[in-house]
Amino acid sequence: MLMRNDHFREFDRIAQRLMENGRPAAMAMDAYRDGDDFVIHFDLPGVNHESIDLEVERNVLTVRAERAGLRREDLELLVNERQTGTFTRQVFLGDTLDTERIQANYADGVLTLRIPVAEQSRARKITVDHSTPDQGRTVLPEQDKSAIRS
């Protein structure tokens, strides 16, 4: 059986909950680039996948999820440290990302989003042609040479 023994810690926890009242809780996030995709991981332990809501509007990605608490009349809570309620996070996406092709997967309490870089924003190689010195020059008639000044 678990027993409470630190009354000051419990008081701090209650004060923190009172200050957070009415405000959505934050969720931890990692983001990185993997080739031509940006990948974002959100920690959402204990969240039912059906409560996850993703929305993109004007390059702002909003993630909302809800975790229900233990609310039963026959339970006597001894320790109640896990956050419950609505979790929200907004991420500003660059114009170079293709928000029409976002892929989302939720596994083991982690929501993973893969956002491809837009085709027109991807790095591409430009070939440089090679020619001999005379091949690359345009020869102007004698009267047009006076128009060129260095």
Side-chain angles (χ1 to χ4, degrees):
M1 178 167 140
L2 294 174
M3 299 184 64
R4 287 187 253 178
N5 59 4
D6 187 351
H7 298 291
F8 292 109
R9 186 171 181 195
E10 186 65 22
F11 180 74
D12 287 342
R13 201 174 358 267
I14 291 169
Q16 182 180 6
R17 283 187 180 231
L18 288 174
M19 290 188 309
E20 290 177 353
N21 193 15
R23 206 176 71 182
M27 62 186 79
M29 171 183 96
D30 288 336
Y32 55 91
R33 184 164 180 169
D34 180 16
D36 287 333
D37 290 340
F38 276 92
V39 180
I40 306 174
H41 299 289
F42 296 96
D43 282 350
L44 295 170
V47 169
N48 185 331
H49 76 280
E50 293 173 350
S51 78
I52 299 172
D53 180 47
L54 299 173
E55 184 177 297
V56 176
E57 182 177 352
R58 294 187 180 186
N59 289 7
V60 177
L61 170 71
T62 303
V63 181
R64 280 189 195 86
E66 188 170 336
R67 181 169 53 212
L70 299 170
R71 305 273 188 235
R72 288 188 5 213
E73 294 295 323
D74 61 335
L75 291 179
E76 178 187 353
L77 286 175
L78 301 176
V79 178
N80 188 17
E81 295 180 351
R82 297 173 59 216
Q83 288 186 334
T84 59
T86 302
F87 298 82
T88 303
R89 184 82 187 245
Q90 287 189 318
V91 178
F92 295 92
L93 304 175
D95 292 332
T96 60
L97 299 178
D98 187 352
T99 58
E100 298 294 323
R101 298 188 314 141
I102 295 175
Q103 297 175 340
N105 182 48
Y106 181 66
D108 298 330
V110 178
L111 173 65
T112 301
L113 302 180
R114 293 190 80 82
I115 309 168
V117 174
E119 190 68 38
Q120 66 271 18
S121 300
R122 291 184 183 166
R124 57 195 169 277
K125 294 285 186 184
I126 299 171
T127 59
V128 177
D129 291 333
H130 175 66
S131 60
T132 61
D134 289 339
Q135 287 178 324
R137 288 191 220 153
T138 304
V139 178
L140 297 174
E142 198 60 39
Q143 68 268 13
D144 290 342
K145 289 184 182 179
S146 63
I148 300 174
R149 296 188 177 122
S150 21

